[in-house]
Amino acid sequence: MGSLATSLLGAIDRFQPVHNARFVLYSPSAGIFQADELDRIRDGELTLSDIIEASSKNISLERLRSDRSEAPQDPGSDVLHTGKHELNRTYVPESGCFWLDVTDPSPEEMRWLTRKFGIHPSTIEVILAAEETLDTFETFPDYNFLTYWTVDYKGESKSIHEFNQGTDRVVKACCSIVIMESCVLTFHGARNLSHLGNVIDRLRRLADPQTHQMPPLTPAYIAYALIDDITDMLVRL
């Protein structure tokens, strides 16, 4: 399955996750990308690192292509290996941001994400053992990290009785959230959580209806919107 890019400049339809997509990247400037493998998040010749660069600079992919054509360079290698366009994790973002949601990363994918974003080993340990951890909040030099529990409905029924009884169709799910200067990274084992679509739709509705321009978004606001959506759902149980 390849990646899917959705323009944010047209009519706002509800976000529809691609079946079995384990990686979803939302960028106010570059669009929405979904893929079942990390190295399949791309747009033509542009790799995930390129999309991250455009998102951090708050420019479109078309603008990035134009800039590259003015200063030609060799295309980057596979996203899971170091390439010429690999984004240095010390890169200082301008005014942009993005959100990368990850479901069940493989060890190789987790190693790439760790190198790419400079995630501390203790954070990785909590992410990988999230289903066994309590609520967590930690501050690191380059990011804040927290875990927040939600509910994973595996069936059609969403009754409070089933939740309290702990049936197979209703189970707890842990969402690990890394809040950095230019991005939010979320990790979870549960698939098809409704929060992802709810929050992306909420963020897209912030666009001006006349100009379709997005106001400046911050990683902190994206994380807040996610926590708010989870909390609202728990209150309704």
Side-chain angles (χ1 to χ4, degrees):
M1 177 178 66
S3 63
L4 172 67
T6 306
S7 171
L8 300 184
L9 300 180
I12 301 299
D13 296 321
R14 179 163 175 78
F15 169 73
Q16 295 294 333
V18 172
H19 181 63
N20 288 334
R22 295 188 301 116
F23 300 90
V24 179
L25 187 148
Y26 165 76
S27 165
S29 62
I32 301 173
F33 299 82
Q34 304 184 63
D36 62 343
E37 300 293 342
L38 188 60
D39 57 3
R40 293 188 182 183
I41 298 182
R42 56 190 310 123
D43 189 276
E45 77 284 3
L46 298 181
T47 67
L48 173 57
S49 291
D50 298 323
I51 296 169
I52 289 174
E53 180 179 350
S55 301
S56 298
K57 292 180 177 179
N58 199 27
I59 62 175
S60 68
L61 297 182
E62 289 69 23
R63 166 69 183 279
L64 182 64
R65 288 190 181 92
S66 176
D67 292 347
R68 291 279 174 81
S69 66
E70 294 174 2
Q73 300 181 37
D74 294 333
S77 63
D78 188 293
V79 72
L80 297 183
H81 302 84
T82 302
K84 192 167 185 178
H85 294 322
E86 192 75 12
L87 181 65
N88 190 307
R89 70 180 181 87
T90 61
Y91 169 77
V92 178
E94 296 179 14
S95 59
C97 68
F98 62 93
W99 174 17
L100 178 61
D101 182 77
V102 181
T103 304
D104 286 335
S106 69
E108 183 180 12
E109 291 164 340
M110 204 70 223
R111 283 192 293 271
W112 186 88
L113 291 166
T114 301
R115 294 195 307 269
K116 186 73 167 180
F117 297 102
I119 303 174
H120 194 275
S122 65
T123 301
I124 299 300
E125 183 178 354
V126 174
I127 291 173
L128 295 179
E131 302 305 324
E132 302 172 8
T133 190
L134 300 175
D135 289 338
T136 301
F137 180 83
E138 297 180 299
T139 299
F140 293 84
D142 296 325
Y143 63 88
N144 293 320
F145 172 66
L146 69 145
T147 58
Y148 204 66
W149 286 89
T150 183
V151 175
D152 178 20
Y153 291 112
K154 296 187 175 182
E156 294 299 323
S157 175
K158 299 183 180 182
S159 72
I160 189 170
H161 172 74
E162 287 189 318
F163 174 68
N164 289 334
Q165 293 300 314
T167 68
D168 291 339
R169 289 180 292 176
V170 186
V171 297
K172 292 174 63 179
C174 184
C175 186
S176 300
I177 308 172
V178 176
I179 309 170
M180 311 190 87
E181 185 178 7
S182 63
C183 66
V184 173
L185 310 175
T186 53
F187 302 85
H188 49 86
R191 295 177 179 266
N192 303 319
L193 291 179
S194 61
H195 308 299
L196 178 65
N198 292 343
V199 176
I200 288 178
D201 290 341
R202 173 176 177 171
L203 298 174
R204 295 167 76 199
R205 285 195 296 268
L206 296 174
D208 185 286
Q210 301 298 323
T211 65
H212 302 293
Q213 295 298 311
M214 291 289 295
L217 287 179
T218 64
Y221 182 81
I222 295 175
Y224 156 75
L226 174 60
I227 294 170
D228 188 53
D229 190 76
I230 294 174
T231 303
D232 282 350
M233 186 199 69
L234 295 177
V235 168
R236 292 194 300 269
L237 285 175

